[in-house]
Amino acid sequence: MSSTDSRDHGSALVERVIAAVAADPGRPVLGYNRFAGPWVEGEPRPRGVDAFPGGHPLSPGLRAWLAYDGGMLERHGWFDEDGNLSPRTLGEIAADEFGEPWHACFEPFSERFGGCFLLPGGSDSRRVLSLGPNGERDESGEYPVFALDIDDLPCAVLMYPGFDAYLADTAGILHPAEGEGYDALKNDRRYAHRMRAHARDRFGGEYELTCLP
């Protein structure tokens, strides 16, 4: 682990998010997109989940959030009718969100992303948590979150080192990193080492995968 404050990682960071959300649970998750809904609808509904399909453990950040509420993730298709976590491939998410032609573009890369889950975020782009082919996690125990974009050159870009950082940024308690672009956190001293680890594991050190339709 780096020398940065442990409160900026994993369950400790998500507990900070929960405290902020609990102060106003009905506020929109995304200020620019009302369809994402509120952080919490009604009373919080914790979800007891032990692991992802295939036995991959939940990340510390995700476990902490689900212990508080599962409604937001439920609205974004994380669970099947029996209440089990239900991953999709990257190609399936692309088709469901952008239309069937994008399945052919992204499905060839689905194997390296493994099971994927949609998260609220983006206007023309989407946010996707990826388990990887073998459940690869970083030193904080978190799975990476990618931006899936079909503007200009369609691509998947490493955006967050984990659900913890994604949630904190979306809730407005993660101050902007230096630089611009989806992968700006690679320049943030708190998360650069985790971003590098995911880039190395997923893309051989690169932060972006381009899809050529």
Side-chain angles (χ1 to χ4, degrees), residues 88-205:
R88 289 177 282 174
T89 69
L90 185 70
E92 287 170 342
I93 288 181
D96 291 342
E97 294 299 307
F98 301 128
E100 187 58 35
W102 293 104
H103 180 273
C105 184
F106 286 100
E107 187 61 24
F109 304 111
S110 288
E111 184 175 352
R112 73 174 68 185
F113 284 86
C116 292
F117 295 86
L118 182 68
L119 290 163
S123 296
D124 297 327
S125 62
R126 298 292 186 271
R127 308 290 176 260
V128 177
L129 183 141
S130 162
L131 300 183
N134 299 302
E136 299 91 343
R137 298 184 292 163
D138 64 22
E139 63 190 58
S140 293
E142 297 288 329
Y143 302 97
V145 174
F146 293 84
L148 189 62
D149 198 333
I150 61 171
D151 284 342
D152 298 324
L153 284 178
C155 59
V157 185
L158 178 60
M159 189 170 185
Y160 299 102
F163 180 81
D164 55 345
Y166 157 81
L167 204 68
D169 191 30
T170 305
I173 69 170
L174 188 70
H175 297 299
E178 298 177 3
E180 299 179 350
Y182 289 131
D183 58 357
L185 284 183
K186 69 183 182 184
N187 301 314
D188 190 303
R189 64 178 181 81
R190 297 166 295 177
Y191 303 107
H193 62 292
R194 292 175 56 192
M195 293 285 283
R196 284 196 300 270
H198 288 305
R200 182 179 61 249
D201 290 343
R202 299 304 181 90
F203 300 151

Side-chain angles (χ1 to χ4, degrees), residues 8-32:
D8 291 327
H9 305 275
S11 58
L13 179 56
V14 172
E15 291 296 344
R16 292 168 57 196
V17 174
I18 291 171
V21 168
D24 186 11
R27 70 182 175 95
V29 176
L30 304 175
Y32 56 85

